[in-house]
């Protein structure tokens, strides 16, 4: 028996949540094509679909949306406890700690039934944008923002983060990004959540585990590297030379390649389509043109298309999110999928315990310390 590096190609769970076919670039939530959802659905509809398995009726959506809006404000003691010197923590460390603290006030924390998990998931999902925005304001020594219940979930997140009333195309762009990031099968953070839930740990513990995995630069931290790379490129006219030089030095070009997709990432074109008008609206044409030039150069030289991180980084940058909050913004979307997977794991649970391939020394005799040279 031989291990597969990174468990590549190993089936570790059965799920009815997300279908991915990497060979032809297919992605669907509960049977609905990501293309249709990106064109026609709201983020709230997508969250409902992931959790309940069906798109909501108008009445169901109104009730669900009202519950989300009613739970947007996190407990004040959480914000108080994480103010001051603790606000200097990395944004993902701060968010992970804040979500862990939410468990202290949750009446359902030790109940892993489906109904309790849905209640807990809704509270965490509703509060997470306020937590991310609060960290941003607190570390700038400003008052934590107040939610605006006249705005939908994505718009309210943008309002709390930037202090500006969201208008299209920025409002639509952030919602589209959240829809496209809501779930993606058994990615690293979702797998971490399911492994934790598989021990019968509670929803909060599983989400904290997911947040820990999302912090890494090979997962949620990847989008910030895209902006750093584009700033290094500088101008669209320099993109081809930059790509040639980077490839010759065997450097990775941020935002290209994907562990699952052999064809193009089906999420990236949707964000590219809205990044164009967003660039015009925000005066970010140079950044957008540089990104397009890098994409053209990578396709010409390596036949690679961008993954979702490439254009989601542009969207986040252009709507005014700080680079070091990109992963936290990603978490505000991916929480929808994490909750769905934790519920699914608890409903048909088996402890996740893979085997390992031992490559250490063969059995050998113990040598007393006095005889060791």
């Amino acid at each position: 028996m031989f291990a597969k590096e990174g468990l590549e190609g190993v089936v570790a769970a059965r799920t009815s949540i997300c279908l991915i076919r990497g060979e032809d670039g297919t992605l669907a939530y509960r049977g609905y094509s990501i293309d249709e959802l990106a064109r026609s659905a709201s983020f709230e509809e997508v969250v409902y679909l992931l959790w309940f398995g069906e798109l909501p009726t108008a009445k169901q959506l109104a009730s669900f949306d009202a519950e989300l809006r009613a739970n947007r404000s996190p407990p004040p003691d959480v914000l108080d406890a994480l103010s001051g010197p603790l606000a200097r923590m990395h944004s993902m460390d701060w968010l992970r700690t804040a979500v862990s603290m939410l468990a202290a006030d949750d009446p359902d924390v030790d109940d892993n039934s489906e109904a309790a998990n849905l209640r807990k998931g809704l509270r965490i999902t509703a509060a997470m944008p306020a937590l991310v925005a609060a960290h941003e304001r607190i570390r700038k020594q400003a008052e934590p923002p107040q939610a605006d219940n006249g705005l939908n979930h994505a718009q309210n997140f943008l309002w709390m983060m930037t202090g500006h009333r969201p208008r299209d195309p920025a409002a639509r762009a952030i919602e589209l990004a959240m829809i496209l990031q809501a779930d993606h099968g058994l990615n690293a953070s979702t797998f971490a959540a399911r492994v934790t839930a598989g021990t019968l740990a509670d929803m909060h513990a599983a989400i904290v585990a997911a947040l820990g995995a999302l912090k890494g630069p090979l997962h949620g931290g990847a989008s910030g590297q895209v902006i750093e790379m584009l700033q290094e490129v500088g101008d669209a006219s320099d993109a081809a030379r930059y790509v040639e030089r980077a490839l010759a030095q065997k450097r990775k070009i941020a935002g290209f390649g994907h562990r699952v997709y052999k064809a193009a990432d089906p999420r990236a074109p949707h964000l590219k389509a809205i990044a164009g008008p967003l660039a015009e609206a925000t005066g970010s044409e140079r950044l957008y043109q540089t990104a397009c030039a890098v994409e053209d150069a990578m396709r010409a030289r390596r036949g690679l298309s961008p993954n979702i991180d490439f254009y989601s980084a542009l969207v986040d940058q252009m709507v005014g999110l700080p680079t070091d909050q990109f992963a936290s913004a990603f978490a505000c979307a991916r929480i929808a999928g994490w909750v769905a997977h934790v519920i699914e794991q608890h409903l048909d649970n088996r402890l996740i315990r893979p085997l390992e391939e031992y490559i250490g020394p063969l059995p050998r005799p113990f040598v007393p310390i006095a005889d060791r040279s």
Side-chain angles (χ1 to χ4, degrees):
M1 182 181 298
F2 294 97
K4 294 190 176 182
E5 295 283 342
L7 299 182
E8 186 168 358
V10 174
V11 176
R14 289 186 298 244
T15 184
S16 61
I17 298 168
C18 187
L19 168 67
I20 303 173
R21 285 203 308 263
E23 63 275 12
D24 62 4
T26 293
L27 174 62
Y29 299 163
R30 302 283 192 182
Y32 290 95
S33 165
I34 195 64
D35 298 320
E36 288 188 287
L37 294 172
R39 283 193 296 265
S40 305
S42 67
F43 180 68
E44 289 83 354
E45 286 178 280
V46 167
V47 177
Y48 189 100
L49 171 66
L50 290 171
W51 293 2
F52 296 97
E54 300 291 344
L55 287 168
T57 64
K59 183 177 180 180
Q60 289 169 332
L61 180 60
S63 176
F64 184 65
D65 185 31
E67 286 190 75
L68 282 171
R69 293 179 194 233
N71 285 276
R72 282 177 173 174
S73 299
D77 57 337
V78 172
L79 302 185
D80 291 342
L82 292 174
S83 297
L86 292 179
R88 293 196 296 267
M89 283 195 290
H90 186 284
S91 59
M92 287 297 290
D93 295 337
W94 196 96
L95 180 59
R96 185 188 67 220
T97 306
V99 170
S100 185
M101 291 180 68
L102 291 180
D105 292 322
D106 197 305
D108 295 308
V109 64
D110 294 321
D111 185 348
N112 287 341
S113 68
E114 182 177 11
N117 273 338
L118 284 166
R119 290 192 295 269
K120 287 183 284 188
L122 185 141
R123 294 182 193 117
I124 300 170
T125 301
M128 195 174 281
L131 291 173
V132 175
H135 177 239
E136 184 60 24
R137 296 291 185 90
I138 290 169
R139 70 181 183 171
K140 292 180 177 176
Q141 299 182 327
E143 283 295 312
Q146 296 298 313
D148 184 341
N149 283 343
L151 300 174
N152 69 25
H153 192 80
Q155 292 168 347
N156 180 63
F157 174 51
L158 200 53
W159 152 248
M160 289 191 297
M161 283 295 291
T162 66
H164 301 299
R165 292 288 167 186
R167 297 184 300 175
D168 284 337
R172 177 54 188 159
I174 196 68
E175 180 168 43
L176 179 60
M178 293 181 78
I179 289 169
L180 296 169
Q181 293 171 330
D183 192 57
H184 202 243
L186 217 56
N187 56 84
S189 57
T190 300
F191 187 54
R194 290 194 75 134
V195 169
T196 304
T199 70
L200 295 184
D202 60 82
M203 175 68 73
H204 289 80
I207 300 307
V208 167
L211 286 165
L214 189 69
K215 179 184 177 183
L218 294 183
H219 193 11
S223 57
Q225 297 173 355
V226 171
I227 297 301
E228 294 172 5
M229 181 265 293
L230 292 175
Q231 290 171 341
E232 186 179 348
V233 174
D235 191 80
S237 61
D238 297 318
R241 285 191 297 274
Y242 176 90
V243 169
E244 287 280 11
R245 186 168 61 252
L247 293 177
Q249 297 170 350
K250 301 189 183 307
R251 292 166 55 193
K252 180 174 169 45
I253 306 295
F256 287 85
H258 197 279
R259 182 70 168 268
V260 174
Y261 292 115
K262 308 308 176 191
D265 186 331
R267 302 166 295 177
H270 293 284
L271 288 177
K272 182 180 181 180
I274 203 166
L278 183 59
E280 292 180 15
T282 59
S284 304
E285 293 94 338
R286 184 171 183 244
L287 179 67
Y288 177 73
Q289 290 163 3
T290 301
C292 291
V294 170
E295 178 184 356
D296 291 343
M298 283 296 289
R299 186 172 285 111
R301 285 152 182 79
R302 285 294 171 87
L304 289 177
S305 299
N307 58 41
I308 190 174
D309 294 327
F310 191 73
Y311 282 106
S312 67
L314 263 69
V315 166
D316 286 350
Q317 179 83 356
M318 291 190 286
V319 300
L321 302 186
T323 306
D324 65 350
Q325 293 282 15
F326 286 4
S328 300
F330 187 174
C332 290
R334 185 55 59 83
I335 180 66
W338 292 338
V339 170
H341 281 271
V342 171
I343 292 171
E344 187 175 67
Q345 184 68 38
H346 279 160
L347 285 174
D348 185 21
N349 188 59
R350 182 170 175 81
L351 180 69
I352 298 173
R353 201 327 186 163
L355 299 175
E356 67 282 342
E357 179 188 356
Y358 178 71
I359 59 171
L362 294 174
R364 47 188 173 167
F366 179 82
V367 179
I369 192 168
D371 298 332
R372 295 176 208 160
S373 57

